[in-house]
Every structure is written in structure tokens, then in C-alpha cells.
Amino acid sequence: MAFSLSSGKFFRLGIKLISFYLISSLLVCVIVYQVFDLVNTGQRSPADNFKENVQKAVSTKDGRHIYEAAWGPSRGLQYSQKVAMEMPKTGDVSVAEQVPDNNFLEDSSDCDTNASGSHIFILAAMRTGSSFLGEIFAQRRDFFYLFEPGRYLADFIEAKNLSRQVLITQYLQIIEDTYRCDFSNSKVLTDGLSNETVLGKKRFAPALLHSKACFRPIKKFKRGRLQCEHPFPVSEITKVCKSKRNVGVKAIRIPDINLLLHLMKPSRTNLKVIHLVRDPRGMAVSRLRVHDRLPDGQLYNATHITTTVRYYVQRYCLSWATNIEIGNYIPWVSTNYKLVRYEDLAQDPLTHTQEIYSFVGLGSKIPFQVLRWIENNTGINEQVNQTNSNRPYSTSRNSRETYEAWRKSVQFDFIHVIQTIGDCKKLMDLAGYLEVPSETALRDPRRSFVTNIPDFTLKKYDFL
């Protein structure tokens, strides 16, 4: 009997020792894992590592890259892995020489030197690179940025089979209310954002992902995928907007800068308008490649310029030429207007991002997360991926296949017609695009048809 009790005690003691050993081993493993992770990631800050990578990339001539924004027929940007290829030389100047002399990388999470906040509007058209331009604001943590808020209103009107004539009027009201973070009269917008998936919110209103309504559940010592309350509380949309110092909107459904002039006055919103322009020849070819792709090897010619193509090219050239003249010649408008060319962003995104930030009052420093995004979406440190060269919605492009691809995709008669449509020649002159005179010139890789933007003489309009 004594032996039996003694055996039971030893058995229970053994169970306790084994349990203690297993629990201790588990705790030691967790601690070792955490220490190992800290050693690997904590020796240098992410900003330090990223600085070194970027400096290595831009110190060589292999750093000329581009991100091309690609718009779908109605639903917006179609995302894919973003890499790019070597940028062709422009006057034999390397990217290292194009990077501003001062420190363009900001170590802090953001650098907003405008205490009162900035209100920006990107005035753009389809297939002009507006999504890249918008992301340099969307990636900042001090911005409430909306990507195409008019999309929800347009979809609603189409679903109800209503007249589209009321679209712009109501859209303008939504935009003005957004700069005040007042969404009480924007139910279509808030319903649309509220019902978006996490990916949709990241695309159309990325600041919402930093709301308390979004979280990462803990699963087996790891954080799970980001989740958001569904439907997303409208009160949180307002709260997030008011928590950000700056507000920005990107839209392709506002064709006329005159519609924004009342917001550009300092007494109203003091809106800064960034007018994005692309060579109409490249824009036309890009849109055709999306909606009517030709078999490999076949070139667009004059017969592909249908009535529909002629209409949207004519409308683009007329509106954009008018916007450039109003933005540059009206003195009180010009202070809040900046012309930005797609081709310039393609060749040197860092310098032009810095210039845009300075214009809107954000200072000249590029925050770390913005620079990291530019790296991830232009392939600064990545090897070339050629698999997307024939995918019109892909954001991966050889740099020549972005802003000069139209030269390889068309015959001269196509270009000749585009150059003679409506105000396209006027737009080209205003924005610094040179006319293609012949088939030989079109095929000559040594010739560039992008030159400096001409100076605008304000004095003759001083009476305005």
C-alpha cells in the first residue's frame, strides 16, 4: 500500500515536471523568436535601409523608371505588380544628376509644414497618369485623399437610368463638402465607401484603413489580415477626415477648371489645382489600346480614328488647352494653379514630386512611406519584368512603352490626323509637345517630341 502511494506521488510529480518543462520551453521559444526578430529588423531603421537602397539605385543610369497609371473603362485603376524598365536617356543625364541636391528623403512619418492644411484637386483625364500623381498624396499619413469620388455618383445615376446632366452639379457639391469634411449631404459617397471591401477602401479612401473601425485580429501569436467593420460607420468617415490636416481629391469627371474657380479663392477653400496633361497622341493611342486592342504587329492607322475617337480627342484638346490658358494667364488663378505633364513625371518622379509638394504647401521633403511607394511602383531596386508589356491595365511598363509607346503603335497618317483635330495643335504648343512632321521622324529614336513648356506672359492680362 505504501509502495502504491509512493508510486502515485512520483507519477504526479513527473506530470508536473513535464508540464513545467513544456511550458518553459514554449515561453523560451517565444522569447527567442521575438529577440531574433528584433535583432534582424532593429539593427537599422527601415528608413536607413531604404535610403541606402534608393541611393544605390539612383546612383546608376539603371534607375530611370516610370509608373504608368492605367484606367479601366468604368471602374477605375486596375492594379497589378508594379515594376518598370530602364528609362531612355534625356540629354545623357542620369537619375543621380536629376535628384535634387538637398535631402529629398524625410526621416519622420510626414513633413507637413503648412499648419493650416492644404486642399488639393487633381484635374485629369483618362489615360494621363493621374493615379500615380494621386498616390503621392494618398500615401501620406497626413492626408484624407479620395480617388474618384464621382464614381459612386455616376454608378448610382446609371443604375437608376437617370439623366447624367445632373452629375457634375451634384459632384461639385460633394467635392466642396469633402474639403470641409461635411458628408451630411453626400449619402451616395458615404454609402459607397462604407460598403467597399478593405481593398476598395485602400484604393478609394486609404486613410479609412487607419480608423478604429479597422483592425487586425490576433491568430496564433500572429496578427491576421486587416478587417474593417461592414458597413463602415459614416461617423468614422467624418472623424478620419477631420483628423487629417490635408484633404485631396483626384477626378477625371471635371473637364473645366472654370467649375473650380470659386473654390480656388483664398476666401473659400483656397484650393490648389494640379492640372495633369498628356500628349494627345499618346493619350489617344492608350485609350484605343484599352478598348480596341489590335493583334500583335498591327499598327493603328487613320481608319481607326472613328467618330467616337475623334469626339473624345477633340473634347480633350479643347478643354485642356482652355484650362492651361485660364490657369496660366489669369493672375489670381495662376497662384493656385500648376501645370504638370505626364512625361515629366515619367522621367523624374522624385524631383517633380518635390516641386508639387512645395506648390501645395507641404514643404520640399518627401516622406519615407511616399518614397517607399515610389520605389515599389517604379521598380527602382527591382529587376525588369517584361511579362506585363502587353497588358493595358498593368502598371508595369518599359519606360519607352509608357510615354513614347504611341510612336511604335501607329502609322504616320494616324498621328497626322490627331495633330489636326480641333485644338490639338494649340494644346501641343501650350504644353510643349512638338509636331511629328513625317514617317521618318516618327521612327527616329533619336528625336524627341517633348520640349520645354513655353513661358506664359501674364503682363498682357494684368487688367484682369
Side-chain angles (χ1 to χ4, degrees):
M1 184 67 178
F3 177 79
S4 176
L5 289 174
S6 178
S7 298
K9 290 181 179 179
F10 278 114
F11 178 75
R12 288 192 295 273
L13 179 61
I15 293 297
K16 291 180 179 179
L17 289 174
I18 292 173
S19 299
F20 177 77
Y21 172 77
L22 291 176
I23 294 174
S24 300
S25 299
L26 180 60
L27 290 174
V28 169
C29 289
V30 172
I31 293 172
V32 170
Y33 175 82
Q34 294 292 336
V35 171
F36 180 77
D37 185 60
L38 288 174
V39 168
N40 280 317
T41 60
Q43 290 179 344
R44 302 182 67 202
S45 68
D48 288 337
N49 292 325
F50 186 67
K51 275 185 181 179
E52 181 178 343
N53 291 337
V54 172
Q55 294 294 354
K56 287 179 180 178
V58 301
S59 64
T60 68
K61 291 186 179 181
D62 294 329
R64 294 175 176 271
H65 302 281
I66 184 175
Y67 170 104
E68 179 180 39
W71 269 89
S74 62
R75 300 299 294 180
L77 183 65
Q78 309 295 314
Y79 285 96
S80 65
Q81 183 64 30
K82 309 167 186 70
V83 291
M85 293 183 67
E86 180 179 351
M87 178 72 71
K89 295 180 180 180
T90 304
D92 292 323
V93 179
S94 70
V95 163
E97 295 167 327
Q98 293 179 351
V99 172
D101 292 334
N102 56 327
N103 179 23
F104 62 88
L105 178 60
E106 176 59 35
D107 289 321
S108 62
S109 61
D110 267 301
C111 180
D112 189 346
T113 59
N114 185 6
S116 62
S118 297
H119 295 147
I120 67 104
F121 184 90
I122 298 175
L123 181 65
M126 293 181 69
R127 311 301 292 179
T128 57
S130 59
S131 295
F132 172 81
L133 180 56
E135 286 293 340
I136 71 173
F137 298 105
Q139 293 296 317
R140 293 180 63 109
R141 299 185 186 127
D142 59 352
F143 251 90
F144 183 80
Y145 172 78
L146 290 182
F147 177 101
E148 288 301 323
R151 158 185 175 267
Y152 301 105
L153 185 60
D155 289 349
F156 182 83
I157 288 176
E158 290 176 2
K160 296 291 185 179
N161 196 27
L162 301 175
S163 172
R164 293 179 60 87
Q165 299 304 316
V166 302
L167 173 63
I168 290 183
T169 301
Q170 184 59 28
Y171 189 20
L172 288 170
Q173 186 61 55
I174 289 176
I175 291 172
E176 183 170 359
D177 290 343
T178 296
Y179 291 119
R180 296 195 300 266
C181 295
D182 178 6
F183 302 103
S184 58
N185 297 314
S186 305
K187 190 175 186 304
V188 173
L189 171 62
T190 54
D191 284 353
L193 292 175
S194 179
N195 291 301
E196 283 286 1
T197 63
V198 172
L199 180 60
K201 288 181 176 63
K202 181 179 181 181
R203 181 181 302 178
F204 295 103
L208 297 183
L209 299 185
H210 302 292
S211 165
K212 293 181 179 179
C214 294
F215 56 92
R216 292 182 182 272
I218 303 298
K219 297 180 178 180
K220 296 182 180 180
F221 304 104
K222 293 183 179 180
R223 292 197 304 168
R225 291 185 177 181
L226 185 67
Q227 299 178 14
C228 295
E229 294 181 23
H230 189 83
F232 195 88
V234 175
S235 59
E236 280 298 308
I237 298 177
T238 302
K239 187 181 299 184
V240 171
C241 180
K242 290 183 177 180
S243 70
K244 304 299 181 181
R245 182 174 299 171
N246 311 294
V247 179
V249 175
K250 192 273 288 189
I252 62 169
R253 292 177 172 86
I254 303 296
D256 188 352
I257 195 174
N258 284 298
L259 299 172
L260 303 170
L261 293 186
H262 69 293
L263 297 178
M264 298 174 70
K265 294 180 179 180
S267 60
R268 291 294 293 271
T269 307
N270 196 29
L271 188 66
K272 302 289 186 179
V273 174
I274 303 169
H275 185 203
L276 184 60
V277 178
R278 184 179 184 180
D279 189 324
R281 297 164 296 194
M283 184 277 296
V285 173
S286 181
R287 289 190 64 163
L288 278 173
R289 290 187 66 227
V290 169
H291 298 291
D292 183 28
R293 298 190 65 194
L294 294 180
D296 291 342
Q298 186 176 348
L299 304 178
Y300 289 105
N301 56 50
T303 63
H304 292 98
I305 303 178
T306 62
T307 302
T308 300
V309 173
R310 181 180 290 273
Y311 169 75
Y312 68 65
V313 170
Q314 181 176 3
R315 185 177 61 175
Y316 171 77
C317 290
L318 172 61
S319 298
W320 257 227
T322 301
N323 292 339
I324 290 176
E325 289 190 316
I326 293 173
N328 284 284
Y329 285 136
I330 306 298
W332 69 268
V333 175
S334 64
T335 57
N336 279 11
Y337 170 90
K338 182 175 179 60
L339 172 63
V340 175
R341 294 189 305 187
Y342 164 86
E343 292 77 13
D344 295 329
L345 280 174
Q347 294 185 64
D348 192 355
L350 296 178
T351 296
H352 288 281
T353 295
Q354 188 181 47
E355 292 178 357
I356 292 168
Y357 280 177
S358 296
F359 163 70
V360 301
L362 296 173
S364 60
K365 300 287 179 105
I366 301 179
F368 161 67
Q369 69 273 12
V370 177
L371 192 55
R372 179 176 59 185
W373 184 89
I374 292 175
E375 179 205 42
N376 292 337
N377 291 272
T378 58
I380 290 178
N381 292 329
E382 300 174 8
Q383 291 187 355
V384 174
N385 182 343
Q386 302 185 52
T387 60
N388 293 317
S389 60
N390 294 318
R391 294 167 54 189
Y393 293 120
S394 170
T395 54
S396 303
R397 293 289 191 278
N398 179 302
S399 58
R400 187 170 292 276
E401 291 179 355
T402 53
Y403 76 93
E404 289 191 325
W406 56 269
R407 297 178 61 174
K408 295 183 177 180
S409 304
V410 296
Q411 295 180 3
F412 175 68
D413 61 347
F414 180 97
I415 297 301
H416 176 70
V417 172
I418 295 295
Q419 293 175 161
T420 58
I421 291 179
D423 290 278
C424 285
K425 180 61 169 60
K426 179 179 182 180
L427 171 61
M428 291 165 57
D429 291 341
L430 288 170
Y433 300 120
L434 302 177
E435 186 176 356
V436 178
S438 65
E439 178 78 25
T440 301
L442 178 65
R443 305 301 173 201
D444 187 353
R446 297 169 298 179
R447 295 192 62 167
S448 173
F449 299 103
V450 180
T451 187
N452 295 329
I453 299 175
D455 294 330
F456 295 90
T457 305
L458 290 173
K459 290 183 178 180
K460 59 183 179 182
Y461 291 97
D462 280 345
F463 66 92
L464 297 175

